[in-house]
Amino acid sequence: MTGDDFCNFFVNWIPLPRLRKAIYRSLGMDIHPTAHIMRNCQFVALGHIHIGARSIIGHDCFLDAKGGISIGCDVNISSFAKIITAKHLIDTADFSGLDKPVTIRDRAWIASAATILQGVEIGEGAVVAAGAVVTKDVGSFAVVGGIPAKVMGTRNRNIDYRLKSRPSRFL
Ligand SMILES: CC(C)(COP(=O)(O)OP(=O)(O)OC[C@H]1O[C@@H](n2cnc3c(N)ncnc32)[C@H](O)[C@@H]1OP(=O)(O)O)[C@@H](O)C(=O)NCCC(=O)NCCS
């Protein structure tokens, strides 16, 4: 059984967030001590995930990190979001794969059930609306939504919050 399997079948159900985080770290995830991952998240290649200070990953998220996932500080990833760094090259004879990193900058918000695809950078303070599928880079403080995601607006640049991750005992 791989470290990913161990996490996805067993660890993600442990109702003790700090213990889960310690196991994720022992298996290679680079997660800041103040960051928080809620229950039942699924990982591929968790050794290629970096999560910065105070960032929060909601419950039931899916992070496929074969190409590498870098999440900055004070990033909020809401529940059921997906980050996918791998794809198949559909016109190749052997259906070969290509992995590209995803980067999410400080204070971005990825709302519920949004999907971020391979090679995308989400700029500082950007907002990805619920249910969006992001296929291209998102500029700093842009608000994007839809499939494929398009710019819906701009966020106030005057933000300086630090997320206070106080996980409830069992989340
Ligand atoms: C991104 C978001 C915050 C924008 O909220 P807002 O600025 O208050 O926007 P509004 O609700 O006023 O809607 C503005 C427009 O965007 C559209 N819109 C809102 N949410 C949308 C979405 N997820 N996808 C596409 N379009 C959306 C609205 O239909 C509206 O369109 P209109 O101007 O043609 O009528 C909100 O849409 C969203 O995605 N919320 C996510 C909620 C969530 O995930 N919560 C988790 C809790 S941690």
Side-chain angles (χ1 to χ4, degrees):
M1 177 178 279
T2 66
D4 289 350
D5 292 338
F6 178 55
C7 286
N8 296 334
F9 286 115
F10 299 110
V11 179
N12 61 2
W13 290 107
I14 297 173
L16 298 166
R18 288 192 179 87
L19 176 59
R20 278 201 311 270
K21 188 161 56 178
I23 297 172
Y24 294 148
R25 188 177 291 120
S26 75
L27 291 169
M29 185 186 287
D30 176 20
I31 176 169
H32 193 276
T34 58
H36 176 50
I37 297 176
M38 293 186 186
R39 65 184 156 75
N40 203 28
C41 289
Q42 303 274 315
F43 303 105
V44 177
L46 89 168
H48 294 159
I49 298 174
H50 164 83
I51 304 176
R54 300 172 300 279
S55 290
I56 301 170
I57 314 293
H59 63 80
D60 293 280
C61 287
F62 174 67
L63 276 65
D64 174 346
K66 285 198 281 285
I69 295 174
S70 180
I71 296 170
C73 300
D74 301 294
V75 171
N76 189 355
I77 298 188
S78 296
S79 300
F80 299 102
K82 300 184 183 74
I83 302 173
I84 300 172
T85 62
K87 71 171 176 180
H88 288 282
L89 299 170
I90 58 174
D91 291 323
T92 55
D94 62 354
F95 196 50
S96 57
L98 178 67
D99 305 333
K100 288 185 177 176
V102 166
T103 302
I104 302 177
R105 302 283 179 202
D106 298 350
R107 295 196 181 90
W109 175 29
I110 313 301
S112 291
T115 300
I116 315 293
L117 296 184
Q118 64 284 329
V120 163
E121 177 171 328
I122 308 290
E124 179 186 350
V127 175
V128 175
V133 176
V134 184
T135 59
K136 294 187 169 63
D137 289 353
V138 175
S140 299
F141 300 96
V143 180
V144 303
I147 303 175
K150 306 277 185 212
V151 175
M152 298 162 55
T154 307
R155 188 180 189 186
N156 173 20
R157 287 177 168 263
N158 190 21
I159 54 171
D160 61 0
Y161 58 81
R162 298 177 133 224
L163 290 180
K164 292 186 184 64
S165 175
R166 291 180 202 275
S168 81
R169 204 159 147 216
F170 299 113
L171 274 179

